[in-house]
Amino acid sequence: MPERLHDPFLELPIFNVESRLRRVRNHVRDSPKRRVPGAEAAAIACLHVSYFSGFFRSCTGVTFRRWQEHVRIGSAALLLTQSAAPVRVVAERVGYHDSRTFQRAFLRVIGCTPISYRSLRRQALLDASFAITKKCR
């Protein structure tokens, strides 16, 4: 099982206090291959769908949809650094069936394309490894 991402959007303090939101968070985290509809999240939280949207945003500072996008893209970023799987495969693993949609979402959340991100992360790991090796000499 891949390592869980330490994502600030998954670890908001409100999730420790508000059990309804904790149930939603756990459901989204455990369903990485699909976008959970707001109505389903509301039902999990035992709230009316129209109340849930405002409640979620007032507790977290972001909309449920935006939060879920961050969680899915964060999981993709972790997969990109931990595996050599093609970007298309990573996108499918986190529930994006269209590569262009995935790339746009990744760019919006992370600030660069998935390929650039993987390349930058690998270079950063090499640089860190080189710095450690250099210190040991």
Side-chain angles (χ1 to χ4, degrees), residues 6-112:
H6 177 72
D7 185 332
F9 277 93
L10 278 173
E11 305 304 329
L12 291 171
I14 191 67
F15 291 123
N16 295 327
V17 176
E18 181 54 62
S19 63
R20 292 173 290 193
L21 293 184
R22 189 171 41 253
R23 287 192 305 266
V24 171
R25 178 203 57 196
N26 293 344
H27 183 71
V28 168
R29 184 184 57 206
D30 296 341
S31 306
K33 285 192 165 194
R34 67 185 196 89
R35 188 177 74 74
V36 176
E40 183 178 331
I44 290 165
C46 299
L47 297 170
H48 189 275
V49 67
S50 62
Y51 181 76
F52 173 76
S53 297
F55 178 72
F56 191 92
R57 186 173 186 150
S58 70
C59 289
T60 64
V62 294
T63 64
F64 175 69
R65 187 173 183 174
R66 182 66 51 172
W67 174 81
Q68 188 174 200
E69 179 181 62
H70 275 76
V71 170
R72 292 168 73 200
I73 294 300
S75 295
L78 185 64
L79 287 169
L80 287 167
T81 58
Q82 291 182 339
S83 76
V87 172
R88 175 188 51 76
V89 171
V90 170
E92 289 174 1
R93 285 187 188 164
V94 295
Y96 287 89
H97 302 291
D98 178 58
S99 294
R100 288 206 184 270
T101 302
F102 173 68
Q103 288 187 12
R104 281 193 304 271
F106 199 93
L107 183 61
R108 183 173 41 253
V109 172
I110 302 292
C112 62

Side-chain angles (χ1 to χ4, degrees), residues 111-126:
C112 62
T113 65
I115 292 171
S116 296
Y117 178 82
R118 177 179 270 166
S119 176
L120 290 168
R121 290 288 298 175
R122 284 190 178 153
Q123 187 59 47
L125 290 173
L126 288 174

